Amino acid sequence: PPADPFGFVYVDANQNGVRDAGEQGLPNVPVTLSGTAFAGTPFARPLTAADVPGGLTRLTDAAGRYEFVPIPPGLYAVTQD
């Protein structure tokens, strides 16, 4: 089924890989989605901006949150600059 991946970019003050209370989100960080739409099926193809409303890159909001809504099923990577 389609997915709505989201997450946060933040300062991991204690470097434990988990966003703990009080760890500040980072605004305006570019987060990019890439990968293969419909991976594992005869319809597999590279993900394009036309597949994702709003395109393949998002800027985090004031709290450091990003979201891609919705994307087709597939195999994807999320990267930040």
Side-chain angles (χ1 to χ4, degrees), residues 2-57:
D4 299 331
F6 71 94
F8 292 89
V9 178
Y10 60 94
V11 176
D12 189 7
N14 60 1
Q15 299 180 356
N16 68 350
V18 176
R19 186 173 189 192
D20 299 308
E23 290 183 329
Q24 176 112 15
L26 298 174
N28 299 315
V29 175
V31 177
T32 302
L33 183 67
S34 62
T36 303
F38 308 103
T41 75
F43 302 106
R45 59 181 170 68
L47 185 70
T48 68
D51 295 320
V52 182
L56 299 176
T57 299

